[in-house]
Amino acid sequence: MPQSAEKVLDHRPLFRQPEYQEMLKNKKEKYEGGHPDAKVQEIADWTKSWDYREKNLARESLCVNPAKACQPLGAVFAAAGFERTMSFVHGSQGCVAYYRSHLSRHFKEPCSAVSSSMTEDAAVFGGLNNMIDGLANTKALYDPAMIAVSTTCMAEVIGDDLHSFIEQAKGKGSVPQDYDVPFAHTPAFVGSHVNGYDNMMKGIIEHFWKGKTATPGTKLNIIPGFDGYCVGNNRELKRILDLMGVEYTFLQDASDNFDTPSDGEYRMYDGGTSIDEVKSALDAKASLSLQHYCTPKTMEYIEGFGQTTASFHYPMGVRATDELLMKVSELTGKEVPEALRMERGRLIDAMADSQSWLHGQKYAIYGDPDFVYAMARFVMETGGEPIHCLATNGTKDWEAQMKTLLASSPFGKGCQVWAGKDLWHLRSLLATEPADFIIGNSYGKYLERDLKIPLIRLTFPVFDRHHHHRFPTMGYQGALRVLVMLLDKIMDVMDDDTNEPGVSDYSFDLTR
Amino acid sequence: MHISHGPVGCGQYSWSQRRNYYIGKTGVDSFVTMQFTSDFQEKDIVFGGDKKLEKIIDEINVLFPLANGITVQSECPIGLIGDDIEAVSRKKNKETGKTIVPVRCEGFRGVSQSLGHHIANDSIRDWVFEKKQSDYEAGPYDVNVIGDYNIGGDAWSSRILLEEMGLNVVGNWSGDATLAEIERAPKAKLNLIHCYRSMNYICRHMEEKYGMPWEEYNFFGPTQIAAALRKIAAHFDDKIKEGAERVIAKYQPLVDEIIAKYKPRLEGKTVMLYVGGLRPRHVVNAYEDLGMIITGTGYEFGHGDDYQRTGHYVKGGTLIYDDVTGYELEKFIEKKRPDLVGSGIKEKYPVQKMGIPFRQMHSWDYSGPYHGYDGFAIFARDMDLAINNPVWDMFDAPWKKAA
Ligand code: SF4
Ligand code: SF4
């Protein structure tokens, strides 16, 4: 008997014990009715061939292991960045449980959102009654400062009109007329979570700005975009802006909401942009979007008020941070302080110290469009070579922009850009044209296992490593952390490669 | 292979989250930890997705030739736009000879997962059973395990006991199950059902149609395990009855050791549970075996018969709640301040912030198995490490305490 109270074996060691191995072998041989091992191996080998790659890339309808989620997830994330705001997702109930658990699994934090729980009746008669009761209950139970409404695909397919529903609900006394209920249609069959973010941001801003005119002041609006590392990043950016002495408003900031302390009190809401801040953001000097592809409609709407805007592709790495700081400086007239030049210098110092290990490393990078752009750029700054850049939710525009970026550096020459492809495509690409490392999220662990290419987790979602998102990846400090992540993996691989005594005693160096 | 048929979301959020363990070459002959979706776009909503579904099945046949069967799990839009996934499934089944199962499990049907269980059961009945000739003939000790999803390996730590007592588990649904295991099920001698909630329907069907008896059992905690082994053995001859006694006797020393080690650390601690399906009532005795006290239990999607069955398990004075909102649940927890809460991922972090130890009781909090004797040891260890971790004593800043 393998189990004992003294040393309790859980699944990881338990099922390796001979009793279980024997049992599983027996199950396989007698009952599973599987394909012969040789056949399985033959197909397994074939899935890594060029022939398979071509067939795989020819796929038009089936999507396998995509690196994207549906719009309402982005909307729920966006709403979580506003003070005391409850997400209300109009449609079927299950979806909301999904968004909540998805975000909880990444942040290791509570995530609140409610649903109008539409069922078959609503499919026939529309979901107006669900909206009326739902808004009233949400307000009564959770006492939010505002309720941000988005939609699951059910509500979209039956064509519920949020604007009219909310008006009618207010007319029926569900919530007071002057109570803030911004909304966004977030059809799951259009775009991805980054568009859901965009739609919700625009919905909230429009709710408070519509019909007003802007009087440009001195403050900057910062719109971070969908960022699983918002906890570390937003705080880091605030530190940088404070150092510069800039006045700013984060339009959407989930950093406190997704990082509440454990002190005995459960906070359903924490931090976030207040309604007053959203209102006064209209009179800002300029609005900066940190993630271009998360905010096209939002920025267009803001431009409509005559505000100056600028967008970035996830300011991670040296030049991306430089550009952000110079833009902020240009817009506000504040100089970049010496302290930040020192931070930059220390980052460059670290990169120089380690350049011999970084130079020429080949990376496959996947994730949301702005992240992939930034990551590829930073990798090239270290002397690394991106060879596959993939965004399942990447558009033609993104593809073109990526190509321009890659063409700007000799380190980008060998790189191919894959817009709209999924991680099963990436498996074929890496099986035929391998990289040294994969940069992505937790889902990449299946690629790592299949192809024996080490994975570096640097973007949402990270389910199987803890707390990475609590540290920044943006700014010079963030870049330093990313650099260390790359270096640790590079050097761990070197040690793992050479740690067999009597076989590879050489190369197992103490100092590198 | 299971297709999330509709837009990308549902399949993405559920991808690899249930921890139903299996062994195989993923992407070659096993497909559990993968996300297959038709990734519906606007044009599919407007013009219908049946053509796309046909194409998807063709692409699967090219790229995944060892997939024996496909289920088409419809998401909300499918039922609303009037797609005929049954017709596509029938057609493609004719063309390819592979099992293709349409599952009408749109999220708006019913108010919880529960109706989905029923729908899935029916789809096995209608689209898998009696569809293929099988040369399997049941031996006298052949049983199916139904409603064990092999979370963290639960079905394996159960199977080992059933085999040790002399039974052959010829099918296990639906954790670590192959299509062959499901197809041959109606010919076995007895259905052993663990999660009654999700799979009673198919067992009742097999009883009606094939005269196959079924027995509900519970493999959480030594008291229930021993009772279950005897109850199961009662369906068979002396050989199996002796087998059951032998298994119980073999594991008794382990049980004694575990209880000796953990009971002193857990005795008198109070527990509140809020989980789906079978667990609220099934795990009660496992806690009691460790001297813990259940002060509240409830179902996320219970039916009348669940409450009846729960009554047999819990003691008087226990709070039983049904389909509470997150808000109500928190209020219960705040008021009762149990020593441990067992629920899902959405409840985990709010509860822990209140300073109350927590274990996820769907995913076993990434541990497990919890079924069977081997599982009981892990269960006891996990409850101990949750409750007796030093972190819970550091919530208050010392200066605040003094003030
Ligand atoms: S794809 Fe549609 S049904 Fe699925 S989670 Fe997203 S909104 Fe809900
Ligand atoms: S144990 Fe619960 S979660 Fe699992 S199938 Fe049964 S009802 Fe569903």
Side-chain angles (χ1 to χ4, degrees):
Chain A
M1 199 192 319
Q3 194 63 288
S4 72
E6 195 200 333
K7 188 166 193 304
V8 174
L9 306 181
D10 62 18
H11 52 88
R12 194 161 51 91
L14 183 66
F15 299 130
R16 310 273 181 85
Q17 304 305 312
E19 291 88 338
Y20 278 100
Q21 288 293 310
E22 168 85 36
M23 179 190 91
L24 292 168
K25 187 162 161 264
N26 187 47
K27 174 178 188 286
K28 181 178 174 206
E29 282 165 5
K30 280 204 185 134
Y31 302 118
E32 290 187 352
H35 302 278
D37 286 349
K39 182 78 192 164
V40 174
Q41 192 53 51
E42 179 199 319
I43 299 294
D45 294 340
W46 171 63
T47 64
K48 296 184 179 172
S49 66
W50 277 92
D51 177 50
Y52 190 87
R53 166 177 164 149
E54 271 151 34
K55 292 189 164 74
N56 192 9
L57 286 172
R59 181 153 54 88
E60 284 173 356
S61 297
L62 173 70
C63 180
V64 186
N65 297 356
K68 67 171 180 181
C70 68
Q71 278 213 42
L73 181 81
V76 168
F77 176 86
F82 292 87
E83 192 177 56
R84 298 191 65 78
T85 297
M86 181 59 80
S87 260
F88 180 102
V89 193
H90 183 50
S92 18
Q93 185 183 32
C95 310
V96 178
Y98 276 148
Y99 319 138
R100 294 179 58 202
S101 22
H102 205 66
L103 292 166
S104 276
R105 286 182 177 121
H106 169 80
F107 287 108
K108 316 294 180 205
E109 285 289 320
C111 175
S112 300
V114 298
S115 143
S116 63
S117 300
M118 284 165 65
T119 56
E120 266 154 322
D121 292 357
V124 180
F125 304 110
L128 178 59
N129 285 331
N130 301 66
M131 177 73 75
I132 297 172
D133 297 346
L135 289 178
N137 286 338
T138 305
K139 182 155 187 327
L141 275 180
Y142 304 108
D143 185 32
M146 65 170 163
I147 299 176
V149 182
S150 51
T151 47
T152 78
C153 49
M154 177 184 186
E156 287 302 320
V157 172
I158 64 179
D160 283 359
D161 177 351
L162 289 183
H163 180 69
S164 124
F165 276 26
I166 293 167
E167 288 308 310
Q168 291 182 62
K170 285 184 170 177
K172 293 229 155 78
S174 162
V175 290
Q177 282 293 350
D178 59 352
Y179 185 69
D180 293 312
V181 187
F183 65 89
H185 285 276
T186 49
F189 42 82
V190 177
S192 74
H193 58 288
V194 300
N195 305 91
Y197 181 92
D198 190 24
N199 286 330
M200 182 47 87
M201 285 304 293
K202 180 177 174 231
I204 291 175
I205 292 173
E206 188 170 3
H207 175 83
F208 291 104
W209 291 12
K210 201 173 183 175
K212 304 213 168 105
T213 43
T215 336
T218 50
K219 277 188 162 183
L220 292 186
N221 295 326
I222 309 286
I223 305 174
F226 188 102
D227 180 14
Y229 285 58
C230 64
V231 170
N233 281 338
N234 292 3
R235 290 179 186 164
E236 175 62 10
L237 289 166
K238 287 181 209 170
R239 188 186 67 86
I240 291 173
L241 294 168
D242 287 341
L243 270 176
M244 289 184 73
V246 169
E247 291 175 286
Y248 57 87
T249 304
F250 264 73
L251 273 183
Q252 203 275 335
D253 174 12
S255 62
D256 287 346
N257 211 7
F258 287 134
D259 190 25
T260 61
S262 268
D263 59 359
E265 180 196 347
Y266 159 48
R267 297 155 175 84
M268 183 170 280
Y269 315 98
D270 203 7
T273 311
S274 70
I275 289 176
D276 285 344
E277 287 173 312
V278 182
K279 286 181 183 161
S280 61
L282 172 63
D283 297 329
K285 172 149 188 96
S287 287
L288 307 186
S289 162
L290 302 187
Q291 296 193 67
H292 178 78
Y293 292 102
C294 287
T295 52
K297 288 189 190 164
T298 305
M299 296 314 274
E300 192 191 47
Y301 184 74
I302 292 176
E303 278 156 20
F305 289 84
Q307 246 190 46
T308 308
T309 61
S311 30
F312 298 83
H313 298 291
Y314 207 91
M316 178 171 68
V318 183
R319 292 200 177 89
T321 304
D322 292 349
E323 281 166 14
L324 176 69
L325 298 191
M326 289 194 299
K327 190 72 187 177
V328 169
S329 171
E330 175 201 315
L331 287 167
T332 60
K334 306 263 184 190
E335 278 190 19
V336 181
E338 186 61 8
L340 285 173
R341 198 180 69 87
M342 288 298 113
E343 277 181 26
R344 184 184 192 278
R346 291 181 197 119
L347 168 65
I348 302 301
D349 182 67
M351 289 167 68
D353 294 345
S354 312
Q355 54 84 15
S356 64
W357 301 112
L358 295 159
H359 196 105
Q361 300 285 1
K362 292 186 166 58
Y363 301 88
I365 302 166
Y366 73 87
D368 285 345
D370 294 292
F371 169 80
V372 173
Y373 186 99
M375 197 67 237
R377 192 177 184 194
F378 185 38
V379 153
M380 293 193 293
E381 288 175 338
T382 67
E385 297 168 22
I387 65 158
H388 300 291
C389 284
L390 180 146
T392 309
N393 49 359
T395 56
K396 285 264 164 289
D397 281 354
W398 172 78
E399 188 177 329
Q401 251 179 335
M402 283 302 300
K403 286 184 173 155
T404 310
L405 169 73
L406 295 161
S408 71
S409 160
F411 295 93
K413 284 228 157 48
C415 187
Q416 301 170 77
V417 181
W418 305 98
K421 298 296 179 196
D422 55 44
L423 299 186
W424 192 252
H425 290 124
L426 186 55
R427 183 179 183 274
S428 280
L429 299 171
L430 285 169
T432 44
E433 293 175 287
D436 298 317
F437 298 93
I438 301 166
I439 298 178
N441 53 26
S442 288
Y443 296 117
K445 76 190 295 176
Y446 299 114
L447 294 169
E448 178 177 44
R449 180 176 69 179
D450 275 3
L451 302 162
K452 306 282 171 263
I453 301 176
L455 169 69
I456 304 168
R457 293 160 178 81
L458 276 167
T459 192
F460 178 89
V462 178
F463 296 134
D464 61 341
R465 296 290 184 273
H466 289 191
H467 311 312
H468 288 195
H469 66 277
R470 297 182 202 256
F471 299 93
T473 53
M474 291 180 183
Y476 302 125
Q477 292 294 339
L480 191 58
R481 171 158 172 84
V482 174
L483 185 80
V484 172
M485 296 278 295
L486 301 184
L487 284 166
D488 275 355
K489 190 59 93 176
I490 290 169
M491 295 191 189
D492 281 348
V493 166
M494 286 195 286
D495 283 348
D496 290 350
D497 249 14
T498 57
N499 62 6
E500 212 180 324
V503 176
S504 57
D505 309 76
Y506 52 89
S507 313
F508 191 69
D509 290 320
L510 180 63
T511 304
R512 298 195 198 271
Chain B
M1 179 179 290
H2 307 287
I3 306 170
S4 298
H5 188 43
V8 68
C10 319
Q12 196 71 4
Y13 309 123
S14 47
W15 178 6
S16 286
Q17 295 295 355
R18 287 201 66 223
R19 301 186 69 234
N20 349 50
Y21 282 176
Y22 67 101
I23 292 167
K25 277 208 158 53
T26 304
V28 180
D29 72 341
S30 311
F31 309 95
V32 181
T33 50
M34 296 178 72
Q35 132 81 326
F36 297 94
T37 175
S38 37
D39 189 15
F40 261 39
Q41 301 300 307
E42 194 139 29
K43 62 176 192 303
D44 303 314
I45 302 284
V46 177
F47 300 112
D50 286 342
K51 284 263 157 339
K52 186 170 199 179
L53 180 58
E54 285 192 32
K55 199 115 196 288
I56 284 173
I57 294 171
D58 293 341
E59 289 177 354
I60 287 175
N61 284 329
V62 173
L63 293 169
F64 304 97
L66 300 185
N68 287 331
I70 296 168
T71 74
V72 181
Q73 316 264 340
S74 37
E75 299 171 18
C76 287
I78 306 304
L80 298 170
I81 61 178
D83 273 12
D84 192 349
I85 59 170
E86 288 80 7
V88 175
S89 301
R90 230 172 266 124
K91 177 176 170 198
K92 284 288 155 188
N93 166 265
K94 277 222 180 75
E95 265 177 49
T96 63
K98 283 190 181 176
T99 303
I100 300 176
V101 183
V103 189
R104 283 285 180 183
C105 53
E106 288 91 344
F108 59 81
R109 292 183 201 280
V111 288
S112 72
Q113 319 161 42
S114 196
L115 187 60
H117 294 147
H118 199 153
I119 292 167
N121 279 230
D122 289 352
S123 69
I124 297 288
R125 178 194 67 200
D126 298 341
W127 296 84
V128 181
F129 280 179
E130 297 180 37
K131 292 289 184 247
K132 270 192 219 154
Q133 280 297 45
S134 123
D135 44 15
Y136 163 73
E137 288 295 335
Y141 304 127
D142 287 6
V143 300
N144 297 308
V145 167
I146 309 278
D148 189 324
Y149 300 95
N150 206 28
I151 309 299
D154 279 340
W156 293 338
S157 56
S158 303
R159 181 185 198 97
I160 205 162
L161 302 178
L162 296 169
E163 289 188 353
E164 277 181 63
M165 73 191 264
L167 299 174
N168 305 315
V169 181
V170 300
N172 185 105
W173 299 19
S174 56
D176 191 32
T178 61
L179 189 55
E181 291 178 51
I182 294 178
E183 284 167 346
R184 80 166 69 89
K187 291 188 174 175
K189 291 289 179 215
L190 175 67
N191 279 327
L192 300 176
I193 176 163
H194 202 257
C195 179
Y196 172 86
R197 177 70 281 131
S198 57
M199 288 235 191
N200 72 83
Y201 319 100
I202 198 76
C203 293
R204 290 177 190 283
H205 168 73
M206 285 190 254
E207 182 178 41
E208 271 164 35
K209 178 117 194 236
Y210 311 103
M212 222 181 139
W214 54 274
E215 182 69 77
E216 213 184 326
Y217 73 105
N218 177 358
F219 266 4
F220 283 109
T223 309
Q224 288 298 329
I225 298 171
L229 290 173
R230 290 189 175 116
K231 196 161 74 162
I232 293 166
H235 287 265
F236 297 94
D237 58 15
D238 285 351
K239 181 181 157 232
I240 300 297
K241 288 186 185 123
E242 282 156 26
E245 293 308 322
R246 194 175 57 244
V247 171
I248 295 167
K250 173 182 165 190
Y251 286 93
Q252 194 56 47
L254 174 68
V255 170
D256 294 342
E257 265 181 60
I258 297 164
I259 290 179
K261 177 170 176 187
Y262 291 106
K263 194 168 178 179
R265 304 170 60 80
L266 297 170
E267 188 144 36
K269 303 280 187 199
T270 55
V271 186
M272 281 177 77
L273 298 172
Y274 185 62
V275 251
L278 67 105
R279 284 164 182 164
R281 65 169 181 276
H282 266 191
V283 294
V284 166
N285 291 99
Y287 283 106
E288 289 177 353
D289 285 334
L290 293 166
M292 301 172 77
I293 301 160
I294 305 289
T295 56
T297 184
Y299 294 91
E300 280 166 328
F301 40 89
H303 298 209
D305 50 350
D306 282 318
Y307 294 100
Q308 234 171 37
R309 288 181 154 75
T310 312
H312 303 314
Y313 279 99
V314 299
K315 300 210 164 70
T318 306
L319 186 61
I320 299 181
Y321 29 81
D322 174 25
D323 205 8
V324 295
T325 62
Y327 175 80
E328 291 162 325
L329 186 66
E330 263 155 51
K331 292 291 153 208
F332 280 142
I333 294 169
E334 236 173 12
K335 221 166 157 189
K336 290 219 157 195
R337 286 206 72 90
D339 296 305
L340 180 74
V341 174
S343 189
I345 181 76
K346 298 190 293 297
E347 292 77 26
K348 178 180 170 97
Y349 301 105
V351 171
Q352 290 191 168
K353 304 252 180 211
M354 294 184 224
I356 297 171
F358 187 97
R359 289 296 296 183
Q360 288 184 66
M361 294 301 280
H362 299 101
S363 65
W364 301 153
D365 234 314
Y366 322 117
S367 177
Y370 284 174
H371 292 178
Y373 289 110
D374 288 343
F376 179 62
I378 303 161
F379 173 80
R381 179 200 70 178
D382 288 354
M383 299 311 133
D384 174 45
L385 65 80
I387 291 180
N388 291 314
N389 188 279
V391 73
W392 310 117
D393 294 333
M394 292 185 282
F395 272 48
D396 293 328
W399 56 91
K400 219 186 151 196
K401 221 181 216 167

